[in-house]
Amino acid sequence: MAEDDTPNPFTRPGFIAGAVVVAALIVTAIILTVLNLNRGSEATPPTPTPTSTASSGPTPSAEPSGTAEGASVCGLDGEKLSGNVTTAPATEWAFIRTVGYPTSPEFGPADTGAAGYPMCFQHSPEGALFAAATALAVPADTALVEPWIAYALSDGTYRDALLSEVSDTSESSGTRLQTVGFRMLAYDGQTARVDLAVRGSSQGTTVTASTVYELIWEDGDWKINANVANPVDFATIPDTSGYISWGP
């Protein structure tokens, strides 16, 4: 039988941009990430050129800043400086377009940014998990991408280079994304590494992928860590073995 050479929609930049991260991933690595907006899942991404910490990208929306280290920007309590998440937290799921994101009065999001994006998560492993899953969903609405990523991307060496990728984001129609599981890979109170199992479908093709978010606690909220060149990593996986089941 002849090999099917139909292009896989999940490897195209348009899917990644509309899905994640600030990609698909910020609509991506969601399924790819928002920080991998125009990167194919098999291509080696160029290393962003380090820039000064002063950002020339979009001006962050006016959110509270200067909170004491550890204090939530919107007053959420329950701070935990160590720990893990070994069972699926109690969750209500909301949707941005067709992508679900988790909500909880305890873990967040507890507020909205000036443009209407969800923000403010508990300083805990659960808060980091909810922040990562929300980062997967926000890029589904292209009107939210630029103001959200300006807020959600931390200060750091690669901030300007990552922000420059957002301008080419385009909405991807006919794409469905869903969180189906998670693993907390690392957590020390200041940083977190969260692995989301994500299932996406487009034009009759379905893939399951691992999307790993590098987060940092900054100004009272979990942010995508711009001190890392690729703060959202993406790879297809055969199944969700090893993940804790979680999703809408």
Side-chain angles (χ1 to χ4, degrees):
M1 179 181 294
E3 182 177 350
D4 185 357
D5 59 357
T6 302
N8 185 335
F10 294 98
T11 64
R12 295 202 303 265
F15 171 80
I16 297 175
V20 148
V21 150
V22 135
L25 236 202
I26 226 186
V27 261
T28 68
I30 253 193
I31 288 177
L32 211 204
T33 312
V34 163
L35 297 173
N36 285 324
L37 280 183
N38 298 312
R39 298 170 182 169
S41 61
E42 297 180 357
T44 300
T47 301
T49 300
T51 63
S52 65
T53 55
S55 172
S56 60
T59 301
S61 57
E63 308 295 352
S65 61
T67 58
E69 182 177 357
S72 164
V73 72
C74 65
L76 284 179
D77 57 14
E79 179 182 70
K80 300 177 187 175
L81 300 183
S82 63
N84 200 350
V85 185
T86 57
T87 60
T91 306
E92 293 290 334
W93 293 86
F95 285 81
I96 296 178
R97 300 293 176 88
T98 60
V99 184
Y101 68 95
T103 70
S104 162
E106 181 178 5
F107 307 128
D111 206 346
T112 55
Y117 50 80
M119 56 168 281
C120 188
F121 299 88
Q122 186 184 66
H123 191 184
S124 68
E126 292 86 354
L129 172 63
F130 276 58
T134 299
L136 178 73
V138 175
D141 187 341
T142 55
L144 297 180
V145 170
E146 289 198 23
W148 169 74
I149 197 57
Y151 171 80
L153 189 62
S154 78
D155 289 334
T157 302
Y158 299 103
R159 178 180 167 89
D160 288 356
L162 292 168
L163 284 173
S164 69
E165 298 182 16
V166 181
S167 61
D168 293 328
T169 304
S170 59
E171 187 171 346
S172 179
S173 62
T175 297
R176 299 291 183 271
L177 291 172
Q178 179 177 331
T179 299
V180 293
F182 72 89
R183 299 187 299 169
M184 183 65 63
L185 302 181
Y187 182 83
D188 63 9
Q190 182 59 29
T191 61
R193 183 179 302 115
V194 181
D195 184 0
L196 297 179
V198 180
R199 186 163 295 130
S201 61
S202 179
Q203 300 176 14
T205 297
T206 299
V207 299
T208 302
S210 161
T211 303
V212 178
Y213 287 84
E214 301 281 354
L215 304 180
I216 187 169
W217 184 258
E218 178 182 276
D219 292 338
D221 207 353
W222 287 109
K223 306 291 183 74
I224 296 170
N225 193 350
N227 296 294
V228 179
N230 296 296
V232 184
D233 196 14
F234 165 88
T236 58
I237 54 178
D239 54 48
T240 59
S241 299
Y243 287 84
I244 297 168
S245 181
W246 188 55

